[in-house]
Amino acid sequence: MATHDVTVELERGGRAWGSFIRDHAMELSGAVALVAVLGLFSVLRPDVFPTSANLSVVLSNTSVAGVLAIGLSVSLVAGQFDLSIGAVLAITGVLVAALLNHGVPWPIAVLAAVVLGGGIGVINGVLTVRGEVLSIVATLGMQSVIIGVLTWTTNDAYIQITPRALPDFGRESVLGVPNIAIVMLVLGVAGALAMRYTTAGRNLQAVGRNPEAARLAGLSVGGYVLASLVVTGAFAGIAGVLLASHLGGGHPEVGPGYVLPAFAAAFLGAAAHRTGTFTFLAASTARSC
């Protein structure tokens, strides 16, 4: 009898694991692809690729776009496109650099940059929800406005950060992992948990999948759309701070180069997800690939 019970439990456990792997195979495909790529190049160039210095450089170079992709996924879940993220990244990086050079404490400077990003998201959201302008059009116009402001205020000149606190953070690492990569991972995990296990996250997914059904169910569709664009703008502000800390200054022309990688990471992450929806961990993993 005891042997029979053990056999039954093993069979149940095997079926449970098989069901889990089958249900989550597409979600895990990005991580599997990343491991495969790392393994391939480690075999091909064992003297260069698998070194800690190279991996640190790769993580540092992909983390900013990864944070952008995580924030972008929020508005994409709601069915909105934010093309202003690159310009927001640039202007928040310039802002944090200018504030630090004027003696503002770094926590306040960082907070101001994130608030600016969120504030731009509010404008995008109001234009989209209240003005009934397509988000792709509203954010494209916002990008043009921000680029004009940057050109007018900086003459497209790089602003080096004189105080060392923020640049030191952007260039240091913990156990070989760059600080900015740790920030990306923390934000990705937090976003994934919030999207899956909170009411707001599930409601946002409902709004993106079927806005009319969500409205009939009593959800504030416009409110969730506006909030998603605010979050995307705030994440672009965080990415701008991370980039400024990594470069040691703010560059007004650096933003547009991060837009396509961020969108690519978000859409690759969505393609790898079993339900075809945008996810934060998948986006960050896809960007690393």
Side-chain angles (χ1 to χ4, degrees), residues 57-282:
V57 170
V58 171
L59 287 173
S60 296
N61 290 339
T62 58
S63 295
V64 173
V67 171
L68 270 184
I70 293 169
L72 183 62
S73 296
V74 179
S75 54
L76 289 174
V77 165
Q80 308 302 313
F81 287 81
D82 190 344
L83 297 181
S84 67
I85 54 173
V88 174
L89 176 147
I91 197 170
T92 52
V94 168
L95 174 66
V96 74
L99 291 177
L100 289 173
N101 287 344
H102 282 81
V104 176
W106 72 264
I108 298 178
V110 169
L111 180 61
V114 176
V115 169
L116 174 61
I120 294 173
V122 170
I123 299 174
N124 289 335
V126 170
L127 289 174
T128 301
V129 176
R130 298 297 182 185
E132 298 184 353
V133 180
L134 291 175
S135 60
I136 193 171
V137 176
T139 56
L140 184 61
M142 179 59 69
Q143 173 185 266
S144 300
V145 171
I146 295 173
I147 291 175
V149 170
L150 283 171
T151 301
W152 174 51
T153 56
T154 67
N155 292 321
D156 294 330
Y158 172 78
I159 302 177
Q160 184 175 358
I161 299 176
T162 303
R164 300 304 309 166
L166 194 65
D168 288 344
F169 173 84
R171 295 169 181 173
E172 291 177 352
S173 60
V174 176
L175 299 177
V177 181
N179 290 338
I180 59 176
I182 295 175
V183 173
M184 178 189 69
L185 179 61
V186 170
L187 292 176
V189 171
L193 293 175
M195 187 62 66
R196 174 164 295 188
Y197 297 109
T198 66
T199 301
R202 291 191 291 269
N203 288 346
L204 185 65
Q205 295 179 61
V207 168
R209 289 170 181 169
N210 194 326
E212 184 60 23
R215 184 185 65 80
L216 294 175
L219 297 180
S220 175
V221 174
Y224 277 101
V225 168
L226 192 152
S228 70
L229 290 168
V230 172
V231 172
T232 298
F235 268 76
I238 295 173
V241 171
L242 293 178
L243 182 61
S245 69
H246 183 60
L247 296 178
H251 201 303
E253 296 183 326
V254 76
Y258 284 88
V259 177
L260 183 58
F263 269 95
F267 276 94
L268 284 174
H273 191 257
R274 63 187 175 95
T275 61
T277 57
F278 297 93
T279 60
F280 305 99
L281 288 179

Side-chain angles (χ1 to χ4, degrees), residues 9-66:
E9 290 300 323
L10 289 174
E11 290 178 352
R12 289 177 179 174
R15 287 196 297 270
W17 276 108
S19 176
F20 175 83
I21 294 174
R22 183 170 58 255
D23 292 342
H24 296 271
M26 291 302 293
E27 291 181 82
L28 299 174
S29 61
V32 172
L34 176 60
V35 172
V37 170
L38 292 175
L40 174 63
F41 284 99
S42 295
V43 171
L44 294 177
R45 297 298 303 272
D47 56 328
V48 177
F49 188 80
T51 62
S52 59
N54 182 61
L55 293 178
S56 178
V57 170
V58 171
L59 287 173
S60 296
N61 290 339
T62 58
S63 295
V64 173

